[in-house]
Amino acid sequence: EGGRQGLRAQTGILRIRNDSRTSLDAQIQHQSGLTEAERDIPLESAPDARGARTLLARTNTASLNGTVSRPLTEKIAATINARMDFSDTSAGLGLDAARPLLRDGLTKAGHVGITLAGGLGSWQWTATSNGDVSRSTSLTDRTGRSARDSANSTTYGADADVLLNGSAFSLPAGKASISLGLGGETQRISSRSVRLGTPLASNLARSVGRGQASVDLPITSRSKAVLGGIGTLSLNANAAFDAYSGFGTLAIWGYGA
């Protein structure tokens, strides 16, 4: 009975020294195609195109991923991550007379991310940012046509967020806890295609800005003997917003005890 054949190889490096960490991983994989002939699919009509039609496409993939994490100063640490991915596929669609019909695809993607974390007095902060890009290409044979249909798309994405939390002041029952966040993201998709000789194009973009704030106020405390008969009680208030391009702003807020 016919089946797919595969090959996979993977290697990695990890280095840890004091507070620094570096890793690098690489992987490649191959999967052969699986045709109708290999699964003995019944012949529906002549000519016999079962050997030119795939149930599972031939696939090659590769990836490379690296991460570096280390302190920049006594109070600031950084982590940087980068990744690249590659995918190549080929599927059989049958025959056009004696000519095999194929659909070939190629995808390449890249990612870079950075995280910074540190302290500022009684406050702790974290900043993150990411960037992504992906490009996909597809070529498809058509019956009775020498020109192939094509489709190309490119996606760009980026985001950034900053989070700050700590205590701004003290109350008799304890320290007030405050958390603040601000960030945003953007994404753009550009596509081009030619189908049966007709070109099509589209461009889409979206961006979002966001923010959040939260405060916790201790009202009573047994350990600090502040209305200890009630127990431990705190009040909380929070608010957040998301501002969408081309749509508007959504806001929520709440409170509790």
Short mmCIF file of all heavy atoms in Angstrom, two decimals, residues 65-123:
data_model
loop_
_atom_site.label_atom_id
_atom_site.label_comp_id
_atom_site.label_asym_id
_atom_site.label_seq_id
_atom_site.Cartn_x
_atom_site.Cartn_y
_atom_site.Cartn_z
N ASN A 65 14.91 29.70 14.55
CA ASN A 65 14.39 30.47 15.68
C ASN A 65 15.53 30.75 16.66
O ASN A 65 16.24 29.84 17.06
CB ASN A 65 13.26 29.72 16.38
CG ASN A 65 12.63 30.53 17.49
OD1 ASN A 65 12.21 31.67 17.29
ND2 ASN A 65 12.59 29.95 18.68
N GLY A 66 15.70 32.01 17.02
CA GLY A 66 16.76 32.39 17.96
C GLY A 66 16.25 33.32 19.02
O GLY A 66 15.40 34.19 18.76
N THR A 67 16.76 33.17 20.24
CA THR A 67 16.37 34.01 21.38
C THR A 67 17.60 34.38 22.19
O THR A 67 18.43 33.52 22.48
CB THR A 67 15.35 33.29 22.28
OG1 THR A 67 14.20 32.93 21.52
CG2 THR A 67 14.93 34.17 23.45
N VAL A 68 17.68 35.64 22.54
CA VAL A 68 18.75 36.13 23.40
C VAL A 68 18.12 36.88 24.56
O VAL A 68 17.29 37.77 24.36
CB VAL A 68 19.72 37.06 22.66
CG1 VAL A 68 20.78 37.60 23.61
CG2 VAL A 68 20.38 36.33 21.50
N SER A 69 18.47 36.50 25.78
CA SER A 69 17.93 37.15 26.98
C SER A 69 19.09 37.46 27.92
O SER A 69 19.87 36.57 28.26
CB SER A 69 16.91 36.24 27.67
OG SER A 69 16.41 36.84 28.84
N ARG A 70 19.18 38.73 28.33
CA ARG A 70 20.27 39.12 29.22
C ARG A 70 19.96 40.46 29.88
O ARG A 70 19.18 41.26 29.35
CB ARG A 70 21.58 39.21 28.46
CG ARG A 70 21.64 40.25 27.36
CD ARG A 70 22.95 40.15 26.61
NE ARG A 70 23.14 38.80 26.09
CZ ARG A 70 24.26 38.37 25.51
NH1 ARG A 70 25.27 39.20 25.38
NH2 ARG A 70 24.36 37.13 25.06
N PRO A 71 20.59 40.72 31.03
CA PRO A 71 20.40 42.04 31.66
C PRO A 71 21.20 43.11 30.94
O PRO A 71 22.32 42.88 30.51
CB PRO A 71 20.92 41.80 33.08
CG PRO A 71 21.88 40.66 32.96
CD PRO A 71 21.38 39.80 31.86
N LEU A 72 20.58 44.28 30.78
CA LEU A 72 21.28 45.43 30.21
C LEU A 72 21.94 46.27 31.29
O LEU A 72 23.03 46.79 31.09
CB LEU A 72 20.30 46.29 29.40
CG LEU A 72 19.61 45.59 28.23
CD1 LEU A 72 18.67 46.57 27.53
CD2 LEU A 72 20.62 45.01 27.25
N THR A 73 21.24 46.41 32.41
CA THR A 73 21.79 47.09 33.59
C THR A 73 21.36 46.29 34.81
O THR A 73 20.75 45.22 34.69
CB THR A 73 21.27 48.54 33.70
OG1 THR A 73 19.86 48.51 33.97
CG2 THR A 73 21.51 49.31 32.40
N GLU A 74 21.63 46.80 36.00
CA GLU A 74 21.22 46.10 37.20
C GLU A 74 19.71 46.02 37.34
O GLU A 74 19.18 45.12 38.01
CB GLU A 74 21.81 46.80 38.43
CG GLU A 74 23.33 46.67 38.54
CD GLU A 74 23.84 47.30 39.81
OE1 GLU A 74 23.02 47.88 40.57
OE2 GLU A 74 25.06 47.21 40.06
N LYS A 75 18.99 46.95 36.71
CA LYS A 75 17.54 47.00 36.88
C LYS A 75 16.76 46.77 35.59
O LYS A 75 15.53 46.79 35.60
CB LYS A 75 17.13 48.35 37.47
CG LYS A 75 17.63 48.57 38.89
CD LYS A 75 17.07 49.87 39.46
CE LYS A 75 17.50 50.06 40.90
NZ LYS A 75 16.93 51.31 41.47
N ILE A 76 17.43 46.58 34.47
CA ILE A 76 16.74 46.40 33.20
C ILE A 76 17.22 45.13 32.51
O ILE A 76 18.43 44.91 32.39
CB ILE A 76 16.97 47.61 32.26
CG1 ILE A 76 16.46 48.89 32.91
CG2 ILE A 76 16.27 47.38 30.92
CD1 ILE A 76 16.70 50.12 32.07
N ALA A 77 16.28 44.28 32.12
CA ALA A 77 16.58 43.05 31.38
C ALA A 77 15.90 43.09 30.02
O ALA A 77 14.84 43.70 29.87
CB ALA A 77 16.11 41.83 32.17
N ALA A 78 16.52 42.45 29.05
CA ALA A 78 15.99 42.47 27.69
C ALA A 78 15.95 41.06 27.12
O ALA A 78 16.82 40.22 27.41
CB ALA A 78 16.84 43.37 26.78
N THR A 79 14.94 40.79 26.31
CA THR A 79 14.82 39.54 25.57
C THR A 79 14.50 39.87 24.12
O THR A 79 13.56 40.62 23.85
CB THR A 79 13.72 38.64 26.16
OG1 THR A 79 14.03 38.33 27.52
CG2 THR A 79 13.61 37.35 25.37
N ILE A 80 15.27 39.30 23.21
CA ILE A 80 15.05 39.51 21.78
C ILE A 80 14.84 38.14 21.13
O ILE A 80 15.60 37.20 21.38
CB ILE A 80 16.23 40.23 21.13
CG1 ILE A 80 16.43 41.61 21.75
CG2 ILE A 80 16.01 40.38 19.62
CD1 ILE A 80 17.64 42.33 21.23
N ASN A 81 13.80 38.05 20.32
CA ASN A 81 13.49 36.81 19.61
C ASN A 81 13.33 37.09 18.13
O ASN A 81 12.71 38.07 17.74
CB ASN A 81 12.22 36.17 20.17
CG ASN A 81 11.74 34.99 19.34
OD1 ASN A 81 10.79 35.11 18.59
ND2 ASN A 81 12.42 33.87 19.44
N ALA A 82 13.89 36.22 17.30
CA ALA A 82 13.73 36.33 15.85
C ALA A 82 13.44 34.95 15.28
O ALA A 82 14.01 33.95 15.74
CB ALA A 82 14.99 36.92 15.20
N ARG A 83 12.57 34.92 14.29
CA ARG A 83 12.18 33.63 13.70
C ARG A 83 11.95 33.81 12.21
O ARG A 83 11.40 34.82 11.76
CB ARG A 83 10.91 33.09 14.37
CG ARG A 83 10.45 31.74 13.82
CD ARG A 83 9.19 31.24 14.50
NE ARG A 83 8.74 29.98 13.94
CZ ARG A 83 9.09 28.80 14.39
NH1 ARG A 83 9.89 28.71 15.43
NH2 ARG A 83 8.64 27.68 13.82
N MET A 84 12.35 32.78 11.44
CA MET A 84 12.09 32.75 10.01
C MET A 84 11.49 31.39 9.66
O MET A 84 11.94 30.35 10.16
CB MET A 84 13.38 32.96 9.21
CG MET A 84 14.02 34.32 9.39
SD MET A 84 15.54 34.50 8.42
CE MET A 84 14.86 34.34 6.75
N ASP A 85 10.45 31.42 8.81
CA ASP A 85 9.78 30.19 8.39
C ASP A 85 9.67 30.16 6.87
O ASP A 85 9.44 31.21 6.23
CB ASP A 85 8.38 30.10 9.01
CG ASP A 85 8.43 29.92 10.51
OD1 ASP A 85 8.72 28.81 10.96
OD2 ASP A 85 8.17 30.91 11.22
N PHE A 86 9.79 28.97 6.33
CA PHE A 86 9.74 28.77 4.88
C PHE A 86 8.90 27.53 4.59
O PHE A 86 9.04 26.50 5.27
CB PHE A 86 11.15 28.59 4.33
CG PHE A 86 11.22 28.12 2.90
CD1 PHE A 86 11.20 29.04 1.86
CD2 PHE A 86 11.29 26.77 2.60
CE1 PHE A 86 11.26 28.61 0.54
CE2 PHE A 86 11.36 26.33 1.29
CZ PHE A 86 11.34 27.25 0.26
N SER A 87 8.02 27.62 3.62
CA SER A 87 7.18 26.49 3.23
C SER A 87 7.03 26.46 1.72
O SER A 87 6.72 27.48 1.10
CB SER A 87 5.80 26.58 3.89
OG SER A 87 4.96 25.52 3.46
N ASP A 88 7.23 25.27 1.14
CA ASP A 88 7.14 25.09 -0.31
C ASP A 88 6.27 23.87 -0.56
O ASP A 88 6.53 22.78 -0.03
CB ASP A 88 8.55 24.89 -0.88
CG ASP A 88 8.52 24.39 -2.31
OD1 ASP A 88 7.67 24.84 -3.08
OD2 ASP A 88 9.36 23.52 -2.64
N THR A 89 5.19 24.03 -1.36
CA THR A 89 4.26 22.93 -1.62
C THR A 89 4.03 22.78 -3.11
O THR A 89 4.14 23.73 -3.88
CB THR A 89 2.91 23.15 -0.92
OG1 THR A 89 2.29 24.32 -1.47
CG2 THR A 89 3.09 23.34 0.58
N SER A 90 3.68 21.55 -3.52
CA SER A 90 3.32 21.28 -4.90
C SER A 90 2.27 20.18 -4.91
O SER A 90 2.48 19.10 -4.35
CB SER A 90 4.55 20.85 -5.71
OG SER A 90 4.20 20.63 -7.07
N ALA A 91 1.12 20.48 -5.54
CA ALA A 91 0.01 19.53 -5.58
C ALA A 91 -0.34 19.24 -7.04
O ALA A 91 -0.33 20.13 -7.89
CB ALA A 91 -1.20 20.09 -4.85
N GLY A 92 -0.64 17.98 -7.32
CA GLY A 92 -1.07 17.58 -8.65
C GLY A 92 -2.57 17.70 -8.80
O GLY A 92 -3.33 17.24 -7.95
N LEU A 93 -3.01 18.32 -9.91
CA LEU A 93 -4.44 18.54 -10.15
C LEU A 93 -4.99 17.67 -11.25
O LEU A 93 -6.19 17.72 -11.54
CB LEU A 93 -4.68 20.02 -10.50
CG LEU A 93 -4.14 21.05 -9.51
CD1 LEU A 93 -4.42 22.46 -10.02
CD2 LEU A 93 -4.74 20.85 -8.13
N GLY A 94 -4.15 16.88 -11.88
CA GLY A 94 -4.61 16.03 -12.97
C GLY A 94 -3.80 16.26 -14.23
O GLY A 94 -2.64 16.68 -14.19
N LEU A 95 -4.43 15.98 -15.38
CA LEU A 95 -3.75 16.10 -16.68
C LEU A 95 -4.54 16.99 -17.62
O LEU A 95 -5.77 17.02 -17.59
CB LEU A 95 -3.58 14.72 -17.31
CG LEU A 95 -2.66 13.71 -16.63
CD1 LEU A 95 -2.75 12.36 -17.33
CD2 LEU A 95 -1.22 14.21 -16.59
N ASP A 96 -3.78 17.71 -18.45
CA ASP A 96 -4.35 18.43 -19.59
C ASP A 96 -3.72 17.80 -20.82
O ASP A 96 -2.60 18.15 -21.19
CB ASP A 96 -4.02 19.92 -19.49
CG ASP A 96 -4.58 20.71 -20.67
OD1 ASP A 96 -5.44 20.17 -21.37
OD2 ASP A 96 -4.13 21.85 -20.88
N ALA A 97 -4.43 16.85 -21.42
CA ALA A 97 -3.82 15.96 -22.43
C ALA A 97 -2.71 15.21 -21.72
O ALA A 97 -2.96 14.46 -20.79
CB ALA A 97 -3.34 16.75 -23.63
N ALA A 98 -1.46 15.38 -22.16
CA ALA A 98 -0.35 14.70 -21.50
C ALA A 98 0.38 15.62 -20.53
O ALA A 98 1.36 15.21 -19.91
CB ALA A 98 0.63 14.18 -22.55
N ARG A 99 -0.10 16.85 -20.37
CA ARG A 99 0.60 17.82 -19.53
C ARG A 99 0.07 17.76 -18.10
O ARG A 99 -1.13 17.93 -17.87
CB ARG A 99 0.42 19.23 -20.08
CG ARG A 99 1.09 20.33 -19.24
CD ARG A 99 0.97 21.67 -19.95
NE ARG A 99 -0.40 22.15 -19.96
CZ ARG A 99 -0.87 23.09 -19.14
NH1 ARG A 99 -0.08 23.62 -18.23
NH2 ARG A 99 -2.13 23.48 -19.24
N PRO A 100 0.96 17.54 -17.11
CA PRO A 100 0.51 17.56 -15.71
C PRO A 100 0.07 18.96 -15.31
O PRO A 100 0.69 19.95 -15.67
CB PRO A 100 1.75 17.12 -14.92
CG PRO A 100 2.66 16.49 -15.92
CD PRO A 100 2.39 17.17 -17.23
N LEU A 101 -1.02 19.02 -14.55
CA LEU A 101 -1.50 20.27 -13.99
C LEU A 101 -1.07 20.35 -12.53
O LEU A 101 -1.32 19.42 -11.75
CB LEU A 101 -3.03 20.36 -14.10
CG LEU A 101 -3.61 20.32 -15.51
CD1 LEU A 101 -5.13 20.29 -15.45
CD2 LEU A 101 -3.12 21.51 -16.32
N LEU A 102 -0.45 21.47 -12.16
CA LEU A 102 0.12 21.60 -10.82
C LEU A 102 -0.37 22.88 -10.16
O LEU A 102 -0.71 23.86 -10.82
CB LEU A 102 1.65 21.62 -10.88
CG LEU A 102 2.35 20.40 -11.46
CD1 LEU A 102 3.85 20.65 -11.54
CD2 LEU A 102 2.06 19.16 -10.61
N ARG A 103 -0.38 22.85 -8.84
CA ARG A 103 -0.55 24.06 -8.04
C ARG A 103 0.66 24.16 -7.11
O ARG A 103 0.86 23.30 -6.24
CB ARG A 103 -1.83 24.06 -7.22
CG ARG A 103 -1.96 25.31 -6.33
CD ARG A 103 -3.21 25.29 -5.46
NE ARG A 103 -4.42 25.40 -6.25
CZ ARG A 103 -5.36 24.47 -6.31
NH1 ARG A 103 -5.20 23.33 -5.62
NH2 ARG A 103 -6.43 24.64 -7.04
N ASP A 104 1.50 25.17 -7.31
CA ASP A 104 2.72 25.36 -6.52
C ASP A 104 2.54 26.54 -5.58
O ASP A 104 2.01 27.60 -5.97
CB ASP A 104 3.92 25.62 -7.43
CG ASP A 104 4.19 24.45 -8.36
OD1 ASP A 104 4.05 23.30 -7.91
OD2 ASP A 104 4.52 24.69 -9.54
N GLY A 105 2.98 26.36 -4.36
CA GLY A 105 2.85 27.43 -3.36
C GLY A 105 4.16 27.66 -2.63
O GLY A 105 4.95 26.74 -2.41
N LEU A 106 4.39 28.91 -2.28
CA LEU A 106 5.60 29.28 -1.55
C LEU A 106 5.22 30.32 -0.50
O LEU A 106 4.57 31.33 -0.82
CB LEU A 106 6.65 29.85 -2.50
CG LEU A 106 7.95 30.37 -1.87
CD1 LEU A 106 8.71 29.22 -1.22
CD2 LEU A 106 8.81 31.05 -2.93
N THR A 107 5.61 30.08 0.75
CA THR A 107 5.33 31.01 1.84
C THR A 107 6.61 31.29 2.61
O THR A 107 7.33 30.35 2.99
CB THR A 107 4.27 30.45 2.80
OG1 THR A 107 3.05 30.22 2.07
CG2 THR A 107 3.98 31.42 3.93
N LYS A 108 6.88 32.57 2.83
CA LYS A 108 8.02 32.98 3.64
C LYS A 108 7.53 33.96 4.70
O LYS A 108 6.74 34.86 4.42
CB LYS A 108 9.09 33.65 2.77
CG LYS A 108 9.73 32.71 1.75
CD LYS A 108 10.75 33.42 0.88
CE LYS A 108 10.07 34.29 -0.15
NZ LYS A 108 11.05 34.89 -1.11
N ALA A 109 7.99 33.76 5.94
CA ALA A 109 7.53 34.59 7.05
C ALA A 109 8.68 34.91 7.98
O ALA A 109 9.59 34.09 8.18
CB ALA A 109 6.40 33.91 7.82
N GLY A 110 8.63 36.10 8.56
CA GLY A 110 9.65 36.51 9.51
C GLY A 110 9.03 37.22 10.70
O GLY A 110 7.99 37.88 10.58
N HIS A 111 9.65 37.07 11.85
CA HIS A 111 9.15 37.67 13.09
C HIS A 111 10.32 38.17 13.91
O HIS A 111 11.35 37.50 14.03
CB HIS A 111 8.35 36.65 13.90
CG HIS A 111 8.10 37.09 15.32
ND1 HIS A 111 7.07 37.92 15.68
CD2 HIS A 111 8.79 36.81 16.48
CE1 HIS A 111 7.11 38.14 16.98
NE2 HIS A 111 8.14 37.48 17.48
N VAL A 112 10.16 39.36 14.50
CA VAL A 112 11.13 39.91 15.44
C VAL A 112 10.35 40.47 16.62
O VAL A 112 9.37 41.21 16.44
CB VAL A 112 12.00 41.01 14.81
CG1 VAL A 112 12.92 41.63 15.86
CG2 VAL A 112 12.83 40.46 13.66
N GLY A 113 10.77 40.13 17.82
CA GLY A 113 10.13 40.63 19.03
C GLY A 113 11.15 41.02 20.08
O GLY A 113 12.21 40.41 20.17
N ILE A 114 10.82 42.03 20.85
CA ILE A 114 11.71 42.47 21.92
C ILE A 114 10.88 42.78 23.16
O ILE A 114 9.78 43.32 23.07
CB ILE A 114 12.54 43.71 21.48
CG1 ILE A 114 13.50 44.13 22.61
CG2 ILE A 114 11.64 44.87 21.08
CD1 ILE A 114 14.49 45.18 22.19
N THR A 115 11.42 42.40 24.31
CA THR A 115 10.78 42.68 25.60
C THR A 115 11.81 43.31 26.52
O THR A 115 12.92 42.78 26.68
CB THR A 115 10.23 41.40 26.24
OG1 THR A 115 9.24 40.82 25.38
CG2 THR A 115 9.59 41.70 27.59
N LEU A 116 11.44 44.41 27.13
CA LEU A 116 12.27 45.08 28.12
C LEU A 116 11.50 45.11 29.43
O LEU A 116 10.28 45.36 29.45
CB LEU A 116 12.61 46.51 27.70
CG LEU A 116 13.41 46.67 26.40
CD1 LEU A 116 13.53 48.15 26.04
CD2 LEU A 116 14.80 46.05 26.54
N ALA A 117 12.18 44.84 30.53
CA ALA A 117 11.54 44.85 31.84
C ALA A 117 12.50 45.46 32.84
O ALA A 117 13.71 45.23 32.79
CB ALA A 117 11.14 43.44 32.26
N GLY A 118 11.94 46.25 33.76
CA GLY A 118 12.80 46.88 34.75
C GLY A 118 12.02 47.48 35.90
O GLY A 118 10.79 47.37 35.97
N GLY A 119 12.75 48.12 36.80
CA GLY A 119 12.14 48.75 37.96
C GLY A 119 12.53 50.21 38.04
O GLY A 119 13.62 50.60 37.62
N LEU A 120 11.63 51.00 38.57
CA LEU A 120 11.87 52.42 38.76
C LEU A 120 11.30 52.79 40.12
O LEU A 120 10.12 53.06 40.26
CB LEU A 120 11.20 53.23 37.65
CG LEU A 120 11.45 54.73 37.63
CD1 LEU A 120 12.93 55.02 37.41
CD2 LEU A 120 10.62 55.40 36.54
N GLY A 121 12.16 52.76 41.14
CA GLY A 121 11.69 52.97 42.50
C GLY A 121 10.78 51.83 42.92
O GLY A 121 11.14 50.65 42.84
N SER A 122 9.57 52.16 43.34
CA SER A 122 8.60 51.14 43.75
C SER A 122 7.75 50.65 42.59
O SER A 122 6.82 49.86 42.78
CB SER A 122 7.68 51.71 44.85
OG SER A 122 6.95 52.83 44.36
N TRP A 123 8.08 51.09 41.39
CA TRP A 123 7.30 50.73 40.21
C TRP A 123 8.04 49.68 39.38
O TRP A 123 9.26 49.68 39.30
CB TRP A 123 7.04 51.96 39.35
CG TRP A 123 6.14 52.96 40.00
CD1 TRP A 123 6.50 53.88 40.94
CD2 TRP A 123 4.75 53.11 39.79
NE1 TRP A 123 5.41 54.61 41.32
CE2 TRP A 123 4.32 54.17 40.63
CE3 TRP A 123 3.82 52.49 38.97
CZ2 TRP A 123 3.00 54.58 40.68
CZ3 TRP A 123 2.50 52.90 39.01
CH2 TRP A 123 2.10 53.94 39.86
#
